[in-house]
């Protein structure tokens, strides 16, 4: 029913026709509102599912990040240990070289005196 289909009486629109029109409009709006509510509930459920999936992914990524940080710390620690060991070996090699050079010079001087 459209507004131009309302029945008119001597003093304006007939009450029954107006009530019928209002009832029909109310039913249309109620249906549309129910559709919107249903649509919103569906969207809400989809968003909740998406949020849960994203939270799960975030948790996985955080765990992966923590594992990578631990690996980086292990690598850094190993590198520092390797540098320390290299320095020790270098110092030992230099000390041994000095000892051997001193011994060689000592032997060389003995050979020169003889």
């Amino acid at each position: 029913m459209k507004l131009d289909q309302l029945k008119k009486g001597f003093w304006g629109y007939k009450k029954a026709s107006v009530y019928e029109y209002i009832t029909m409009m109310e039913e249309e709006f109620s249906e549309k509102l129910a559709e919107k509510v249903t649509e919103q509930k569906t969207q809400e459920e989809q968003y909740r599912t998406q949020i849960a999936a994203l939270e799960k992914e975030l948790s996985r990524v955080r765990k992966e990040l923590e594992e990578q940080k631990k690996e980086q710390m292990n690598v850094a620690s190993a590198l520092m240990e390797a540098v320390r060991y290299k320095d020790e070996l270098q110092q030992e090699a230099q000390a041994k070289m000095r000892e051997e050079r001193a011994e060689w010079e000592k032997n060389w001087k003995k050979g020169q005196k003889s």
Side-chain angles (χ1 to χ4, degrees), residues 43-82:
Q43 285 180 345
E44 181 181 352
E45 194 59 38
Q46 289 173 348
Y47 292 145
R48 287 182 192 270
T49 303
Q50 188 177 12
I51 288 169
L54 290 173
E55 285 175 342
K56 186 176 179 181
E57 178 69 12
L58 178 62
S59 176
R60 184 190 65 76
V61 169
R62 281 183 176 161
K63 185 177 179 182
E64 190 176 296
L65 177 64
E66 287 300 317
E67 289 173 6
Q68 286 179 354
K69 282 182 181 180
K70 286 179 185 176
E71 285 180 27
Q72 284 179 337
M73 292 300 291
N74 288 339
V75 168
S77 177
L79 284 173
M80 290 175 65
E81 184 65 26

Side-chain angles (χ1 to χ4, degrees), residues 82-96:
V83 168
R84 187 188 61 77
Y85 184 65
K86 175 202 65 109
D87 290 344
E88 283 180 16
L89 286 177
Q90 221 172 18
Q91 288 174 357
E92 286 176 15
Q94 287 176 353
K96 190 171 183 177

